[in-house]
Amino acid sequence: MKKLYGLVAAISTLVAALVASSACYIFIYQPEEPASLRNE
Amino acid sequence: MEKLVRKQASKISTSLGYDAEKEAVVAYGLIAIVQICITLTLVFLFGLIVGAPIEALIVCLSVSILRKYSGGVHADNAEFCTVFSVIYCTVTAVLSKWLAGVYFAVPMLVAGVVIYAAAFAIAYRYVPVDSPNKPIKTEKKIKRMRKGSFIILTVYFALSVLFYLLSFQAPAYRSFGIGMLFGVAWQVLTLTPVGAILLHKLNDLPKYLGKEEKQQ
């Protein structure tokens, strides 16, 4: 289970980093961006 | 949906011994994955039901790819966002198919020119449109987002011209081009104050309807 969690966490972090470089989430809802990803 | 995803992210982070910041990053990415998967699947399924799956996906993707650089007004919650996206993409996909059936080349050309002229003008005036949850302040990022938006709009324009030219040989391209126009039109509308008022009114509609029912 830990391996699966590790994989999900890695993919999620990668997607979070990709989304962080854009102006907003690709759909019309924007959750609060974590401080470490902020590149204002 | 967001609460559920955050719960899962918390479970994963606890199991991996992550701190609060790492957990927030995992949750942020996981919300994006879930939202993209659910929205695209529903748009495709509803598109299949109405007989226009490709048109529905064209509308959805033309909005979301441009949005990545232009930004735009936001909904208050993920559920409204998904429901609204699915309804808009499905309805405009049906409209695209219908309009393709009563298609006239000259009005189509005029509509395309007007929509793209307005899109470039609105993008020039407003891009990037940020939100309190993701502010854009540095000149460098503003320039990057503006450049990206104009590149994407130019690519969309080239694709629309291509669909228009191909539609003389294969009528199927008519609805693809019309779908793209619906996507661009909606996305640039969400950059304007009018679009913001419209979306917030739609967002508040369920609350308003709930109040009306309680009063009765």
Side-chain angles (χ1 to χ4, degrees):
Chain A
M1 202 63 177
K2 219 170 181 176
K3 266 188 183 171
L4 178 70
Y5 281 170
L7 183 70
V8 174
I11 295 170
S12 301
T13 305
L14 182 73
V15 172
L18 285 173
V19 174
S21 67
S22 60
C24 67
Y25 252 32
I26 67 165
F27 294 112
I28 57 171
Y29 174 64
Q30 172 67 54
E32 192 175 350
E33 190 177 44
S36 59
L37 291 175
R38 284 205 176 175
N39 168 25
E40 296 175 1
Chain B
M1 183 198 88
E2 188 179 347
K3 273 185 191 168
L4 205 72
V5 175
R6 285 198 187 276
K7 232 182 205 175
Q8 286 304 313
S10 169
K11 209 169 151 184
I12 291 167
S13 302
T14 308
S15 156
L16 297 171
Y18 284 179
D19 60 17
E21 188 55 33
K22 272 191 176 175
E23 181 183 322
V25 172
V26 171
Y28 192 68
L30 208 52
I31 293 168
I33 294 170
V34 171
Q35 201 187 358
I36 291 167
C37 290
I38 291 178
T39 307
L40 285 180
T41 307
L42 288 177
V43 165
F44 182 70
L45 284 178
F46 278 85
L48 267 181
I49 292 169
V50 298
I54 300 171
E55 287 81 357
L57 283 177
I58 286 175
V59 177
C60 187
L61 292 174
S62 50
V63 171
S64 51
I65 294 169
L66 178 57
R67 195 171 182 80
K68 185 172 155 51
Y69 288 93
S70 67
V73 68
H74 287 92
D76 291 346
N77 57 68
E79 289 77 16
F80 172 79
C81 168
T82 304
V83 170
F84 182 81
S85 301
V86 172
I87 292 173
Y88 183 78
C89 295
T90 310
V91 170
T92 51
V94 172
L95 272 174
S96 302
K97 273 260 176 183
W98 179 74
L99 285 169
V102 291
Y103 186 87
F104 290 103
V106 176
M108 190 62 226
L109 183 68
V110 173
V113 169
V114 168
I115 288 173
Y116 275 104
F120 276 102
I122 291 170
Y124 182 79
R125 169 76 177 81
Y126 294 107
V127 166
V129 177
D130 63 354
S131 70
N133 282 345
K134 188 173 169 61
I136 300 170
K137 289 177 184 157
T138 61
E139 197 59 36
K140 192 180 163 195
K141 188 158 184 181
I142 290 171
K143 272 188 181 168
R144 192 160 58 85
M145 293 300 125
R146 286 179 70 83
K147 192 179 168 191
S149 298
F150 285 112
I151 290 172
I152 288 173
L153 270 176
T154 307
V155 171
Y156 283 2
F157 180 69
L159 278 173
S160 292
V161 170
L162 186 71
F163 286 148
Y164 180 77
L165 295 174
L166 286 172
S167 70
F168 290 105
Q169 288 167 346
Y173 288 103
R174 290 174 184 174
S175 57
F176 298 169
I178 298 168
M180 189 164 241
L181 287 182
F182 275 120
V184 172
W186 170 251
Q187 177 47 26
V188 294
L189 183 67
T190 70
L191 301 175
T192 64
V194 176
I197 293 168
L198 179 70
L199 194 74
H200 286 133
K201 290 236 184 260
L202 287 170
N203 205 152
D204 291 340
L205 201 60
K207 287 181 217 163
Y208 176 75
L209 291 175
K211 267 187 197 168
E212 289 271 296
E213 265 176 27
K214 271 184 191 170
Q215 278 172 0
Q216 284 170 3

